Amino acid sequence: MEKLSLQTILDNIEAEKSFEAVLDDYSLSIKIEHYVPFACAAIHDGHQFRKELWGQCLHTAYERWYEEDPATKSMIQSQPIVIAGLDSRFEYDLNRS
């Protein structure tokens, strides 16, 4: 999988190019096989957690992994457009207030 900048990913999308990449900060991965009017997302597929936050988290790495949604991307991987968040939901939670 390629590592691309946000601008390159946006340029690929604007050009309707097929590609698979991880954002250069590893916060998300994206796969576009062909362009369709829908996208599938696994918003908490990852476990990335900044080291400077470790001391502020009461959970162990295993407890974080258990509460995250590991491998959810595998459930949608066969879809033509897949976006997966790779950061831990303990950094930020995209589907909870």
Side-chain angles (χ1 to χ4, degrees):
M1 186 179 304
E2 297 183 85
K3 182 171 79 168
L4 299 176
S5 69
L6 178 59
Q7 188 58 56
T8 302
I9 289 173
L10 294 174
D11 291 345
N12 285 349
I13 293 169
E14 187 173 345
E16 294 187 10
K17 180 180 175 184
S18 296
F19 68 100
E20 187 168 1
V22 64
L23 189 60
D24 57 9
D25 69 355
Y26 295 99
S27 61
L28 67 86
S29 67
I30 182 168
K31 175 194 76 166
I32 302 179
E33 291 178 346
H34 58 276
Y35 286 80
V36 294
F38 64 91
C40 295
I43 61 174
H44 290 296
D45 187 64
H47 187 64
Q48 182 169 267
F49 191 67
R50 287 179 293 155
K51 190 172 184 174
E52 61 264 25
L53 297 177
W54 289 3
Q56 297 175 32
C57 186
L58 301 175
H59 301 288
T60 66
Y62 176 78
E63 290 167 335
R64 285 195 327 269
W65 173 83
Y66 185 81
E67 291 297 326
E68 292 162 344
D69 298 327
T72 52
K73 179 177 153 185
S74 66
M75 293 187 290
I76 59 172
Q77 189 61 35
S78 65
Q79 299 300 312
I81 300 177
V82 175
I83 302 168
L86 302 178
D87 291 332
S88 170
R89 79 172 343 130
F90 288 89
E91 283 249 2
Y92 50 85
D93 199 330
L94 295 171
N95 59 336
R96 294 186 184 159
S97 55

